[in-house]
Amino acid sequence: MATSLMDTRATLSKRRAVESQDFLAVIFVGSGENLYPFNQGTNVVSKALLPVGNVPILNTVLDWVFQSGLTDVLIISPPSTHTAISNHLQENYSSGSHPRARIELKRYTDGEKDDDDDASASAGGGAGGYGAYGYAEEAGDKVGTARLLRRFRAFIKSDFVLLPCDLAAPSSLPLASILDKHRTSPDAVLTAVFYEPVEAVKDGAEKILVGTDRATDELLLVKDVEGMEDDLELRMELVRTHPSLSLTTRLLDAHIYVFRRTVLDLLAQRRPRDLDSVREQVVPWLVKGAWQEGLGQKWAPILNPPKRDPLAAALAASTSARPGWSDLLAGPGSPASQHTPARRSDSASSSSSASTSAASAPSAGDELVKFKAGLVPEPLRRRRREPAGWTCKVIVVKPEPVAAPEPAKDKGGKAAPEKAAEPDHLIRANSLAGYWELNRRALRLAAQGLAGASAAPQPGTPGVAPGGGAQDELAPPLISASAQISPDSLLGEGTRVGERASIKKCVVGRHCVIGRGAKITGCVLWDFVVVEENARIENSILCANVRVGDRAQIKDCEFGTGFEALAGASLKGERLVAGQEA
């Protein structure tokens, strides 16, 4: 009976948490422009569904969101990948498996129509026409993130956290800690996350100059290094107001932003054609406006509107409260500040008005001082900087070393040499280098038993399929008894491995066929890949439905969906899609 009571209370607390959501998670799904050849050819897999350790990367992001206590999610995707993502969500995040989750999936074109769309249509930019950025508006697969936020502002009723679909955060960075940082900074309109990348990702990443205040954790500058001149110019106002300013080019933008809802009101003031990127436009605007006085005063009524004090309004309407109390509690412009005192006698009123008029009459000296003050420009008369009323906060994520597993002991009882623990990085799959690193980490975690993935199936095990399901005892084993599969490999459901085949440090998807004598090392194979007999593949990524002919030699390559390497082919360092010849 006591157990039932505790369960009921837990359910009620969960319901209250759902009803009192203070943030909405908004996930943008891009087209994967930097992921060639994954994004070319027929039957292209959505960027959100890229398999990492045989699990779509979107699952990692959604699980990270739900672990923080958030339940409301808005996913905005290109029209071309909407159906695939919708099917995936129905299969993996249904009301049965995630009863508290409220996931809404929208196409780019489902938002509010831009005024520019009408203009382009009237100018001949209808079907097959091109919009302001030189892409087909009818397809709608390429729209700037800032413009998307403006389109979908009617769907966002509260403060929100903007996330990419290709993120894998370290275990030391729960989303709840980012949201708490924003919650405890009531003057923040933005909390952004920057991180130190893994070495393999540094070379290909776009460098940016990031300025932060180490004392206050404020974000003060975000600027692309590529467009900068040899000399860096900083405003004295910035240096004077933030003596703890720190500049670095070692950080990358995680594209994790916690925004105040009023930022959408600021975007609504901009023409859609002027909006493109959140990182390149919106974030620098907010950062500059927080310390630059002119912009701060201009945007303050939008980003930081005056709040109505309910207590002051109640006292103003009261018939028993003293006028002095309501005046004390009321702020400028509130109803209580216009409290009308009780009417006094006519004699007292006339004497008071006479004294007031006498006191308010300006003298000749006062008029001269006022005249001279009018001759001085306003900027010169302003001696103290008025704060903008808001700030932009920053969280810098640095890799933390992960505790290494206990060293194994040999037959003599001596401990084997310890391997240095690899630091846990924040990684994004927005580049080939990042995608490689995510799969390597998935293999490392699987080998340590931390990813929840089962070990590689034992060759020749009767009655057990690689996915753990039952197998017909009369059918030949899916994995030959003479095949060699390393423990730090992952095999998907239904994959067949032939005699004397070798798989080491690989991620192999579902329903793949590895022929007799094939050797695969350090590779990522998606679903339905066929590797014929005696082929050799090393450090390569093979997308879905790729076929490698017998005795082919493949090294350091990436093949798009449906590519076919002919028998006996020798390829090294190639990036190819279906229909291309090596």
Side-chain angles (χ1 to χ4, degrees), residues 10-26:
T11 304
L12 291 176
S13 64
K14 290 181 179 179
R15 288 178 180 174
R16 292 193 191 100
V18 171
E19 295 172 357
S20 61
Q21 292 286 298
D22 54 346
F23 288 101
L24 170 70
V26 181

Side-chain angles (χ1 to χ4, degrees), residues 444-562:
R444 186 171 66 250
L445 295 177
Q448 298 174 0
L450 300 179
S454 59
Q458 296 298 319
T461 304
V464 179
Q471 180 180 310
D472 187 359
E473 294 184 1
L474 299 178
L478 295 179
I479 300 175
S480 172
S482 59
Q484 296 180 353
I485 304 175
S486 66
D488 53 357
S489 293
L490 292 174
L491 268 66
E493 178 184 359
T495 290
R496 295 180 177 274
V497 183
E499 298 177 358
R500 298 190 303 277
S502 174
I503 300 176
K504 297 181 179 179
K505 297 183 178 180
C506 292
V507 177
V508 182
R510 300 175 304 150
H511 304 292
C512 294
V513 178
I514 311 300
R516 183 180 61 182
K519 295 187 181 298
I520 308 175
T521 305
C523 296
V524 178
L525 277 60
W526 294 9
D527 298 343
F528 303 103
V529 171
V530 176
V531 179
E532 297 186 1
E533 297 181 2
N534 299 311
R536 302 290 186 268
I537 308 176
E538 184 178 351
N539 297 330
S540 299
I541 300 176
L542 279 59
C543 294
N545 297 301
V546 167
R547 190 178 191 90
V548 178
D550 62 297
R551 300 185 183 280
Q553 304 285 331
I554 309 297
K555 185 176 181 180
D556 302 331
C557 293
E558 288 93 18
F559 295 156
T561 302

Side-chain angles (χ1 to χ4, degrees), residues 173-405:
L173 184 69
L175 179 58
S177 65
I178 301 174
L179 300 178
D180 289 343
K181 173 76 172 182
H182 191 80
R183 290 187 181 106
T184 55
S185 305
D187 58 343
V189 299
L190 164 68
T191 298
V193 178
F194 289 80
Y195 68 101
E196 290 187 4
V198 63
E199 286 293 333
V201 180
K202 283 184 179 180
D203 295 337
E206 182 181 2
K207 289 188 177 182
I208 55 178
L209 179 65
V210 181
T212 60
D213 191 320
R214 292 169 294 182
T216 61
D217 291 335
E218 290 185 57
L219 182 62
L220 304 174
L221 181 67
V222 179
K223 195 170 185 179
D224 289 330
V225 174
E226 184 178 354
M228 292 174 52
E229 299 179 355
D230 295 337
D231 297 332
L232 175 63
E233 295 183 0
L234 294 176
R235 290 192 176 226
M236 289 301 299
E237 184 178 5
L238 174 61
V239 178
R240 178 178 59 83
T241 55
H242 295 278
S244 301
L245 173 65
S246 174
L247 299 174
T248 181
T249 58
R250 296 183 303 172
L251 302 178
L252 295 183
D253 191 349
H255 289 248
I256 302 174
Y257 310 112
V258 186
F259 284 113
R260 188 185 293 180
R261 173 59 178 78
T262 54
V263 171
L264 300 179
D265 300 329
L266 179 63
L267 294 182
Q269 305 296 321
R270 297 270 179 168
R271 295 182 303 177
R273 70 178 65 178
D274 297 333
L275 295 175
D276 187 12
S277 169
V278 170
R279 207 272 298 168
E280 297 177 2
Q281 290 181 325
V282 179
V283 173
W285 289 344
L286 297 176
V287 168
K288 183 181 290 186
W291 58 262
Q292 189 170 326
E293 186 176 1
L295 290 177
Q297 292 181 343
K298 180 180 178 181
W299 294 342
I302 302 175
L303 292 175
N304 202 23
K307 296 182 180 180
R308 185 181 181 88
D309 188 347
L311 178 58
L315 289 175
S318 174
T319 58
S320 59
R322 295 183 181 180
W325 283 108
S326 60
D327 292 339
L328 179 63
L329 292 173
S334 66
S337 63
Q338 301 175 3
H339 179 87
T340 304
R343 181 173 297 180
R344 294 175 293 176
S345 62
D346 295 340
S347 59
S349 177
S350 60
S351 61
S352 175
S353 61
S355 60
T356 302
S357 60
S360 61
S363 62
D366 294 335
E367 292 182 353
L368 180 60
V369 171
K370 184 177 180 180
F371 173 75
K372 289 182 177 181
L375 298 178
V376 181
E378 179 66 20
L380 297 180
R381 283 185 279 137
R382 188 183 302 137
R383 293 181 178 272
R384 297 185 61 184
R385 174 181 178 269
E386 299 179 4
W390 77 83
T391 59
C392 297
K393 296 295 184 178
V394 63
I395 296 175
V396 177
V397 181
K398 297 182 179 180
E400 296 184 4
V402 179

